[in-house]
């Protein structure tokens, strides 16, 4: 590997970007805790080995939309964390070519990220703790959840700030504002639901209501549900009401329940597109039998329109000739 760029200096070490012989970029983090990190290790009774080993994410996680993390030792016996680097994050990929929100794509992204949470919560038995746009990267059109910094005490990222409060403030679960709090699966559900709210509306709950986390659950829920009714498409409202409940005991327990409901929404938007395109195809005189994937219908529709426009142009040219 050859070093390409220094990505940052975190509380827990230095992150460098390397490119391997195949051209794949890797983020490599070597353990070098500062005084803040050492204090946190002491408070949590963690060793260097504990901190680094907690970073490991098996290669099989890639099948569930999680970026794997490899833990190795260099020739000097020093531990390091390695993970693939991707240049594109979630930001704006859920907008269509006109800059409008693509609700089918949002539902699809949501289902895939929920799948990552299912694996994280049920297979690895851990919470993420810092779900935000920058921690969902795109491998072509596939979203991958990465950077389990808050749940593992170490982040392959650019921030030097300690995480005494867990997770990005804009998406943080209310219980994680408490000093010394520890995120659980329901905290992840809140953070992801908050991100989903932003994807759907372009708004942030905590920007609109800066003191929201200081309110009692009943009062906070009243404000959130009013905003959901006002800004969120109807099909997504039930999920967000449950996912953003300030009473953690009333939220989805983990990613599995969330994924199930998101899949139903994704299917609704898929079917909605299907029936609309099928109607237009019929209008243009194309008949089909059975269930055909929406992408196929779109391709056929565009082909028909292109051929019709071509014929129209030919007729116009003949008339003018």
């Amino acid at each position: 590997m050859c070093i390409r760029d220094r990505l940052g200096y975190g509380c827990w070490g230095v992150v460098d970007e390397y490119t391997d012989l195949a051209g794949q970029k890797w983020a490599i983090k070597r353990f070098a805790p500062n005084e803040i990190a050492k204090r946190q290790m002491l408070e949590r009774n963690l060793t260097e080995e504990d901190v680094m080993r907690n970073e490991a994410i098996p290669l099989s996680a890639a099948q569930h939309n999680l970026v794997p993390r490899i833990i190795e030792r260099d020739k000097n016996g020093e531990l390091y964390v390695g993970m693939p680097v991707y240049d594109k994050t979630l930001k704006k990929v859920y907008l269509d070519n006109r800059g409008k929100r693509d609700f089918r794509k949002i539902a699809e992204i949501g289902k895939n990220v929920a799948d990552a949470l299912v694996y994280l919560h049920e297979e690895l038995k851990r919470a993420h703790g810092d779900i935000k746009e920058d921690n969902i990267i795109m491998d072509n059109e596939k979203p991958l959840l990465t950077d389990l910094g808050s749940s593992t005490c170490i982040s392959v990222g650019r921030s030097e700030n300690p995480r005494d409060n867990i997770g990005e403030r804009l998406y943080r679960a209310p219980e994680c504002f408490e000093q010394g709090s520890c995120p659980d699966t329901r905290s992840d559900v809140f953070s992801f639901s908050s991100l989903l709210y932003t994807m759907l509306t372009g708004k942030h709950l905590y920007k609109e209501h800066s003191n929201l986390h200081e309110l009692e659950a009943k009062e906070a829920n009243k404000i959130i549900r009013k905003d959901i009714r006002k800004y969120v498409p109807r099909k997504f409202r039930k999920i967000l009401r449950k996912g953003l409940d300030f009473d953690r005991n009333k939220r989805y327990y983990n990613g599995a329940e969330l994924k199930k409901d998101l899949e139903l929404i994704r299917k609704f938007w898929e079917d909605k597109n299907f029936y609309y395109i099928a109607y237009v195809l019929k209008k243009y005189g194309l008949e089909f039998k059975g269930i055909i994937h929406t992408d196929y219908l779109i391709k056929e529709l565009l082909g028909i329109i292109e051929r019709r426009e071509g014929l129209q142009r030919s007729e116009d040219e003949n008339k003018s000739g």
Side-chain angles (χ1 to χ4, degrees), residues 44-71:
R44 300 170 185 176
N45 195 29
L46 296 172
T47 65
E48 173 186 341
E49 186 88 8
D50 292 332
V51 172
M52 297 297 278
R53 292 297 177 192
N54 280 341
E55 281 289 287
I57 303 293
L59 292 174
S60 59
Q63 300 175 25
H64 300 275
N65 307 310
L66 268 172
V67 177
R69 290 186 170 207
I70 301 169
I71 311 299

PDB file of all heavy atoms in Angstrom, residues 44-71:
ATOM      1  N   ARG A  44     -13.879   3.556  31.734  1.00  0.00           N
ATOM      2  CA  ARG A  44     -14.600   2.394  31.229  1.00  0.00           C
ATOM      3  C   ARG A  44     -13.846   1.093  31.451  1.00  0.00           C
ATOM      4  O   ARG A  44     -14.288   0.020  31.027  1.00  0.00           O
ATOM      5  CB  ARG A  44     -14.873   2.579  29.731  1.00  0.00           C
ATOM      6  CG  ARG A  44     -15.705   3.812  29.428  1.00  0.00           C
ATOM      7  CD  ARG A  44     -15.755   4.100  27.941  1.00  0.00           C
ATOM      8  NE  ARG A  44     -16.449   5.352  27.666  1.00  0.00           N
ATOM      9  CZ  ARG A  44     -16.577   5.907  26.469  1.00  0.00           C
ATOM     10  NH1 ARG A  44     -16.054   5.301  25.414  1.00  0.00           N
ATOM     11  NH2 ARG A  44     -17.211   7.043  26.311  1.00  0.00           N
ATOM     12  N   ASN A  45     -12.704   1.212  32.097  1.00  0.00           N
ATOM     13  CA  ASN A  45     -11.888   0.028  32.406  1.00  0.00           C
ATOM     14  C   ASN A  45     -11.533  -0.759  31.139  1.00  0.00           C
ATOM     15  O   ASN A  45     -11.698  -1.980  31.063  1.00  0.00           O
ATOM     16  CB  ASN A  45     -12.623  -0.878  33.392  1.00  0.00           C
ATOM     17  CG  ASN A  45     -11.693  -1.919  34.021  1.00  0.00           C
ATOM     18  OD1 ASN A  45     -10.484  -1.680  34.164  1.00  0.00           O
ATOM     19  ND2 ASN A  45     -12.236  -3.063  34.393  1.00  0.00           N
ATOM     20  N   LEU A  46     -11.045  -0.035  30.128  1.00  0.00           N
ATOM     21  CA  LEU A  46     -10.700  -0.632  28.845  1.00  0.00           C
ATOM     22  C   LEU A  46      -9.192  -0.636  28.630  1.00  0.00           C
ATOM     23  O   LEU A  46      -8.496   0.295  29.032  1.00  0.00           O
ATOM     24  CB  LEU A  46     -11.352   0.148  27.695  1.00  0.00           C
ATOM     25  CG  LEU A  46     -12.876   0.158  27.627  1.00  0.00           C
ATOM     26  CD1 LEU A  46     -13.344   1.135  26.566  1.00  0.00           C
ATOM     27  CD2 LEU A  46     -13.416  -1.235  27.341  1.00  0.00           C
ATOM     28  N   THR A  47      -8.712  -1.681  27.987  1.00  0.00           N
ATOM     29  CA  THR A  47      -7.316  -1.733  27.570  1.00  0.00           C
ATOM     30  C   THR A  47      -7.226  -1.354  26.096  1.00  0.00           C
ATOM     31  O   THR A  47      -8.243  -1.279  25.403  1.00  0.00           O
ATOM     32  CB  THR A  47      -6.736  -3.141  27.750  1.00  0.00           C
ATOM     33  OG1 THR A  47      -7.421  -4.047  26.859  1.00  0.00           O
ATOM     34  CG2 THR A  47      -6.913  -3.636  29.191  1.00  0.00           C
ATOM     35  N   GLU A  48      -5.992  -1.139  25.609  1.00  0.00           N
ATOM     36  CA  GLU A  48      -5.798  -0.864  24.187  1.00  0.00           C
ATOM     37  C   GLU A  48      -6.378  -1.999  23.343  1.00  0.00           C
ATOM     38  O   GLU A  48      -7.049  -1.766  22.330  1.00  0.00           O
ATOM     39  CB  GLU A  48      -4.307  -0.706  23.877  1.00  0.00           C
ATOM     40  CG  GLU A  48      -3.997  -0.593  22.403  1.00  0.00           C
ATOM     41  CD  GLU A  48      -2.512  -0.578  22.124  1.00  0.00           C
ATOM     42  OE1 GLU A  48      -1.721  -0.299  23.047  1.00  0.00           O
ATOM     43  OE2 GLU A  48      -2.142  -0.841  20.969  1.00  0.00           O
ATOM     44  N   GLU A  49      -6.141  -3.224  23.784  1.00  0.00           N
ATOM     45  CA  GLU A  49      -6.650  -4.390  23.060  1.00  0.00           C
ATOM     46  C   GLU A  49      -8.175  -4.370  23.010  1.00  0.00           C
ATOM     47  O   GLU A  49      -8.774  -4.657  21.969  1.00  0.00           O
ATOM     48  CB  GLU A  49      -6.151  -5.664  23.744  1.00  0.00           C
ATOM     49  CG  GLU A  49      -6.497  -6.944  23.010  1.00  0.00           C
ATOM     50  CD  GLU A  49      -5.462  -7.321  21.970  1.00  0.00           C
ATOM     51  OE1 GLU A  49      -4.412  -6.671  21.914  1.00  0.00           O
ATOM     52  OE2 GLU A  49      -5.734  -8.266  21.215  1.00  0.00           O
ATOM     53  N   ASP A  50      -8.811  -4.017  24.138  1.00  0.00           N
ATOM     54  CA  ASP A  50     -10.274  -3.949  24.187  1.00  0.00           C
ATOM     55  C   ASP A  50     -10.811  -2.949  23.169  1.00  0.00           C
ATOM     56  O   ASP A  50     -11.747  -3.246  22.412  1.00  0.00           O
ATOM     57  CB  ASP A  50     -10.754  -3.520  25.583  1.00  0.00           C
ATOM     58  CG  ASP A  50     -10.477  -4.566  26.646  1.00  0.00           C
ATOM     59  OD1 ASP A  50     -10.425  -5.754  26.289  1.00  0.00           O
ATOM     60  OD2 ASP A  50     -10.314  -4.183  27.814  1.00  0.00           O
ATOM     61  N   VAL A  51     -10.228  -1.752  23.163  1.00  0.00           N
ATOM     62  CA  VAL A  51     -10.706  -0.683  22.298  1.00  0.00           C
ATOM     63  C   VAL A  51     -10.587  -1.091  20.832  1.00  0.00           C
ATOM     64  O   VAL A  51     -11.531  -0.936  20.049  1.00  0.00           O
ATOM     65  CB  VAL A  51      -9.923   0.624  22.552  1.00  0.00           C
ATOM     66  CG1 VAL A  51     -10.295   1.681  21.508  1.00  0.00           C
ATOM     67  CG2 VAL A  51     -10.223   1.149  23.947  1.00  0.00           C
ATOM     68  N   MET A  52      -9.435  -1.625  20.455  1.00  0.00           N
ATOM     69  CA  MET A  52      -9.208  -1.966  19.059  1.00  0.00           C
ATOM     70  C   MET A  52     -10.040  -3.180  18.627  1.00  0.00           C
ATOM     71  O   MET A  52     -10.603  -3.202  17.537  1.00  0.00           O
ATOM     72  CB  MET A  52      -7.718  -2.221  18.817  1.00  0.00           C
ATOM     73  CG  MET A  52      -6.846  -0.998  19.063  1.00  0.00           C
ATOM     74  SD  MET A  52      -7.238   0.359  17.938  1.00  0.00           S
ATOM     75  CE  MET A  52      -6.329  -0.129  16.484  1.00  0.00           C
ATOM     76  N   ARG A  53     -10.115  -4.200  19.471  1.00  0.00           N
ATOM     77  CA  ARG A  53     -10.887  -5.392  19.115  1.00  0.00           C
ATOM     78  C   ARG A  53     -12.382  -5.090  19.003  1.00  0.00           C
ATOM     79  O   ARG A  53     -13.100  -5.734  18.238  1.00  0.00           O
ATOM     80  CB  ARG A  53     -10.659  -6.508  20.141  1.00  0.00           C
ATOM     81  CG  ARG A  53      -9.250  -7.089  20.121  1.00  0.00           C
ATOM     82  CD  ARG A  53      -8.946  -7.749  18.798  1.00  0.00           C
ATOM     83  NE  ARG A  53      -7.571  -8.251  18.730  1.00  0.00           N
ATOM     84  CZ  ARG A  53      -6.989  -8.652  17.615  1.00  0.00           C
ATOM     85  NH1 ARG A  53      -7.654  -8.615  16.466  1.00  0.00           N
ATOM     86  NH2 ARG A  53      -5.743  -9.076  17.617  1.00  0.00           N
ATOM     87  N   ASN A  54     -12.850  -4.114  19.774  1.00  0.00           N
ATOM     88  CA  ASN A  54     -14.259  -3.732  19.686  1.00  0.00           C
ATOM     89  C   ASN A  54     -14.615  -3.138  18.329  1.00  0.00           C
ATOM     90  O   ASN A  54     -15.781  -3.042  17.966  1.00  0.00           O
ATOM     91  CB  ASN A  54     -14.610  -2.715  20.783  1.00  0.00           C
ATOM     92  CG  ASN A  54     -14.846  -3.373  22.118  1.00  0.00           C
ATOM     93  OD1 ASN A  54     -15.091  -4.578  22.185  1.00  0.00           O
ATOM     94  ND2 ASN A  54     -14.760  -2.598  23.186  1.00  0.00           N
ATOM     95  N   GLU A  55     -13.573  -2.728  17.593  1.00  0.00           N
ATOM     96  CA  GLU A  55     -13.789  -2.137  16.275  1.00  0.00           C
ATOM     97  C   GLU A  55     -14.120  -3.169  15.202  1.00  0.00           C
ATOM     98  O   GLU A  55     -14.625  -2.826  14.140  1.00  0.00           O
ATOM     99  CB  GLU A  55     -12.520  -1.388  15.834  1.00  0.00           C
ATOM    100  CG  GLU A  55     -12.366  -0.028  16.458  1.00  0.00           C
ATOM    101  CD  GLU A  55     -13.378   0.959  15.891  1.00  0.00           C
ATOM    102  OE1 GLU A  55     -13.231   1.401  14.734  1.00  0.00           O
ATOM    103  OE2 GLU A  55     -14.327   1.273  16.606  1.00  0.00           O
ATOM    104  N   ALA A  56     -13.808  -4.420  15.430  1.00  0.00           N
ATOM    105  CA  ALA A  56     -13.902  -5.437  14.373  1.00  0.00           C
ATOM    106  C   ALA A  56     -15.338  -5.614  13.877  1.00  0.00           C
ATOM    107  O   ALA A  56     -16.274  -5.759  14.664  1.00  0.00           O
ATOM    108  CB  ALA A  56     -13.364  -6.765  14.892  1.00  0.00           C
ATOM    109  N   ILE A  57     -15.496  -5.584  12.561  1.00  0.00           N
ATOM    110  CA  ILE A  57     -16.754  -5.907  11.891  1.00  0.00           C
ATOM    111  C   ILE A  57     -16.425  -6.952  10.840  1.00  0.00           C
ATOM    112  O   ILE A  57     -15.636  -6.685   9.932  1.00  0.00           O
ATOM    113  CB  ILE A  57     -17.377  -4.671  11.209  1.00  0.00           C
ATOM    114  CG1 ILE A  57     -17.613  -3.548  12.213  1.00  0.00           C
ATOM    115  CG2 ILE A  57     -18.678  -5.050  10.512  1.00  0.00           C
ATOM    116  CD1 ILE A  57     -18.659  -3.847  13.250  1.00  0.00           C
ATOM    117  N   PRO A  58     -16.988  -8.158  10.918  1.00  0.00           N
ATOM    118  CA  PRO A  58     -16.600  -9.236  10.000  1.00  0.00           C
ATOM    119  C   PRO A  58     -16.931  -8.916   8.547  1.00  0.00           C
ATOM    120  O   PRO A  58     -17.827  -8.125   8.248  1.00  0.00           O
ATOM    121  CB  PRO A  58     -17.403 -10.438  10.507  1.00  0.00           C
ATOM    122  CG  PRO A  58     -18.546  -9.847  11.266  1.00  0.00           C
ATOM    123  CD  PRO A  58     -18.033  -8.582  11.872  1.00  0.00           C
ATOM    124  N   LEU A  59     -16.225  -9.569   7.632  1.00  0.00           N
ATOM    125  CA  LEU A  59     -16.445  -9.353   6.205  1.00  0.00           C
ATOM    126  C   LEU A  59     -17.872  -9.699   5.789  1.00  0.00           C
ATOM    127  O   LEU A  59     -18.425  -9.112   4.861  1.00  0.00           O
ATOM    128  CB  LEU A  59     -15.439 -10.174   5.396  1.00  0.00           C
ATOM    129  CG  LEU A  59     -13.972  -9.731   5.498  1.00  0.00           C
ATOM    130  CD1 LEU A  59     -13.081 -10.720   4.766  1.00  0.00           C
ATOM    131  CD2 LEU A  59     -13.784  -8.328   4.936  1.00  0.00           C
ATOM    132  N   SER A  60     -18.474 -10.668   6.479  1.00  0.00           N
ATOM    133  CA  SER A  60     -19.843 -11.083   6.142  1.00  0.00           C
ATOM    134  C   SER A  60     -20.853  -9.950   6.332  1.00  0.00           C
ATOM    135  O   SER A  60     -21.950  -9.976   5.772  1.00  0.00           O
ATOM    136  CB  SER A  60     -20.259 -12.280   7.005  1.00  0.00           C
ATOM    137  OG  SER A  60     -20.199 -11.951   8.381  1.00  0.00           O
ATOM    138  N   ALA A  61     -20.482  -8.926   7.110  1.00  0.00           N
ATOM    139  CA  ALA A  61     -21.384  -7.798   7.349  1.00  0.00           C
ATOM    140  C   ALA A  61     -21.694  -7.038   6.072  1.00  0.00           C
ATOM    141  O   ALA A  61     -22.735  -6.389   5.960  1.00  0.00           O
ATOM    142  CB  ALA A  61     -20.775  -6.853   8.379  1.00  0.00           C
ATOM    143  N   ALA A  62     -20.790  -7.119   5.087  1.00  0.00           N
ATOM    144  CA  ALA A  62     -21.006  -6.410   3.823  1.00  0.00           C
ATOM    145  C   ALA A  62     -22.278  -6.884   3.126  1.00  0.00           C
ATOM    146  O   ALA A  62     -22.902  -6.137   2.371  1.00  0.00           O
ATOM    147  CB  ALA A  62     -19.799  -6.584   2.917  1.00  0.00           C
ATOM    148  N   GLN A  63     -22.680  -8.136   3.372  1.00  0.00           N
ATOM    149  CA  GLN A  63     -23.905  -8.660   2.779  1.00  0.00           C
ATOM    150  C   GLN A  63     -25.149  -8.037   3.395  1.00  0.00           C
ATOM    151  O   GLN A  63     -26.252  -8.198   2.887  1.00  0.00           O
ATOM    152  CB  GLN A  63     -23.956 -10.176   2.956  1.00  0.00           C
ATOM    153  CG  GLN A  63     -22.789 -10.917   2.312  1.00  0.00           C
ATOM    154  CD  GLN A  63     -22.825 -12.393   2.632  1.00  0.00           C
ATOM    155  OE1 GLN A  63     -23.873 -12.961   2.912  1.00  0.00           O
ATOM    156  NE2 GLN A  63     -21.666 -13.032   2.592  1.00  0.00           N
ATOM    157  N   HIS A  64     -24.965  -7.348   4.511  1.00  0.00           N
ATOM    158  CA  HIS A  64     -26.084  -6.726   5.225  1.00  0.00           C
ATOM    159  C   HIS A  64     -25.916  -5.211   5.291  1.00  0.00           C
ATOM    160  O   HIS A  64     -26.382  -4.563   6.230  1.00  0.00           O
ATOM    161  CB  HIS A  64     -26.196  -7.312   6.629  1.00  0.00           C
ATOM    162  CG  HIS A  64     -26.438  -8.789   6.647  1.00  0.00           C
ATOM    163  ND1 HIS A  64     -27.700  -9.331   6.531  1.00  0.00           N
ATOM    164  CD2 HIS A  64     -25.575  -9.833   6.724  1.00  0.00           C
ATOM    165  CE1 HIS A  64     -27.607 -10.653   6.552  1.00  0.00           C
ATOM    166  NE2 HIS A  64     -26.327 -10.981   6.667  1.00  0.00           N
ATOM    167  N   ASN A  65     -25.255  -4.646   4.291  1.00  0.00           N
ATOM    168  CA  ASN A  65     -25.126  -3.185   4.146  1.00  0.00           C
ATOM    169  C   ASN A  65     -24.340  -2.527   5.275  1.00  0.00           C
ATOM    170  O   ASN A  65     -24.611  -1.379   5.634  1.00  0.00           O
ATOM    171  CB  ASN A  65     -26.526  -2.549   4.028  1.00  0.00           C
ATOM    172  CG  ASN A  65     -27.362  -3.184   2.945  1.00  0.00           C
ATOM    173  OD1 ASN A  65     -26.916  -3.339   1.817  1.00  0.00           O
ATOM    174  ND2 ASN A  65     -28.574  -3.586   3.284  1.00  0.00           N
ATOM    175  N   LEU A  66     -23.363  -3.253   5.808  1.00  0.00           N
ATOM    176  CA  LEU A  66     -22.428  -2.702   6.786  1.00  0.00           C
ATOM    177  C   LEU A  66     -21.018  -2.750   6.207  1.00  0.00           C
ATOM    178  O   LEU A  66     -20.639  -3.753   5.589  1.00  0.00           O
ATOM    179  CB  LEU A  66     -22.451  -3.511   8.089  1.00  0.00           C
ATOM    180  CG  LEU A  66     -23.386  -3.073   9.206  1.00  0.00           C
ATOM    181  CD1 LEU A  66     -23.378  -4.126  10.311  1.00  0.00           C
ATOM    182  CD2 LEU A  66     -22.954  -1.735   9.791  1.00  0.00           C
ATOM    183  N   VAL A  67     -20.252  -1.692   6.408  1.00  0.00           N
ATOM    184  CA  VAL A  67     -18.861  -1.688   5.951  1.00  0.00           C
ATOM    185  C   VAL A  67     -18.018  -2.490   6.947  1.00  0.00           C
ATOM    186  O   VAL A  67     -18.006  -2.178   8.136  1.00  0.00           O
ATOM    187  CB  VAL A  67     -18.320  -0.249   5.856  1.00  0.00           C
ATOM    188  CG1 VAL A  67     -16.845  -0.262   5.445  1.00  0.00           C
ATOM    189  CG2 VAL A  67     -19.133   0.547   4.846  1.00  0.00           C
ATOM    190  N   PRO A  68     -17.328  -3.531   6.494  1.00  0.00           N
ATOM    191  CA  PRO A  68     -16.511  -4.335   7.409  1.00  0.00           C
ATOM    192  C   PRO A  68     -15.293  -3.568   7.916  1.00  0.00           C
ATOM    193  O   PRO A  68     -14.837  -2.624   7.272  1.00  0.00           O
ATOM    194  CB  PRO A  68     -16.082  -5.529   6.541  1.00  0.00           C
ATOM    195  CG  PRO A  68     -16.142  -5.023   5.143  1.00  0.00           C
ATOM    196  CD  PRO A  68     -17.260  -4.021   5.102  1.00  0.00           C
ATOM    197  N   ARG A  69     -14.777  -3.992   9.062  1.00  0.00           N
ATOM    198  CA  ARG A  69     -13.562  -3.405   9.644  1.00  0.00           C
ATOM    199  C   ARG A  69     -12.608  -4.527  10.008  1.00  0.00           C
ATOM    200  O   ARG A  69     -12.970  -5.453  10.734  1.00  0.00           O
ATOM    201  CB  ARG A  69     -13.892  -2.579  10.886  1.00  0.00           C
ATOM    202  CG  ARG A  69     -14.634  -1.296  10.571  1.00  0.00           C
ATOM    203  CD  ARG A  69     -14.788  -0.460  11.830  1.00  0.00           C
ATOM    204  NE  ARG A  69     -15.277   0.861  11.490  1.00  0.00           N
ATOM    205  CZ  ARG A  69     -15.046   1.951  12.226  1.00  0.00           C
ATOM    206  NH1 ARG A  69     -14.337   1.866  13.312  1.00  0.00           N
ATOM    207  NH2 ARG A  69     -15.525   3.109  11.866  1.00  0.00           N
ATOM    208  N   ILE A  70     -11.406  -4.414   9.517  1.00  0.00           N
ATOM    209  CA  ILE A  70     -10.395  -5.443   9.729  1.00  0.00           C
ATOM    210  C   ILE A  70      -9.417  -4.970  10.794  1.00  0.00           C
ATOM    211  O   ILE A  70      -8.915  -3.840  10.740  1.00  0.00           O
ATOM    212  CB  ILE A  70      -9.646  -5.737   8.414  1.00  0.00           C
ATOM    213  CG1 ILE A  70     -10.632  -6.208   7.342  1.00  0.00           C
ATOM    214  CG2 ILE A  70      -8.547  -6.768   8.633  1.00  0.00           C
ATOM    215  CD1 ILE A  70     -10.027  -6.270   5.956  1.00  0.00           C
ATOM    216  N   ILE A  71      -9.136  -5.838  11.761  1.00  0.00           N
ATOM    217  CA  ILE A  71      -8.158  -5.535  12.811  1.00  0.00           C
ATOM    218  C   ILE A  71      -6.928  -6.400  12.576  1.00  0.00           C
ATOM    219  O   ILE A  71      -7.023  -7.626  12.521  1.00  0.00           O
ATOM    220  CB  ILE A  71      -8.742  -5.806  14.217  1.00  0.00           C
ATOM    221  CG1 ILE A  71     -10.116  -5.161  14.372  1.00  0.00           C
ATOM    222  CG2 ILE A  71      -7.779  -5.337  15.297  1.00  0.00           C
ATOM    223  CD1 ILE A  71     -10.132  -3.673  14.220  1.00  0.00           C
TER     224      ILE A  71
END
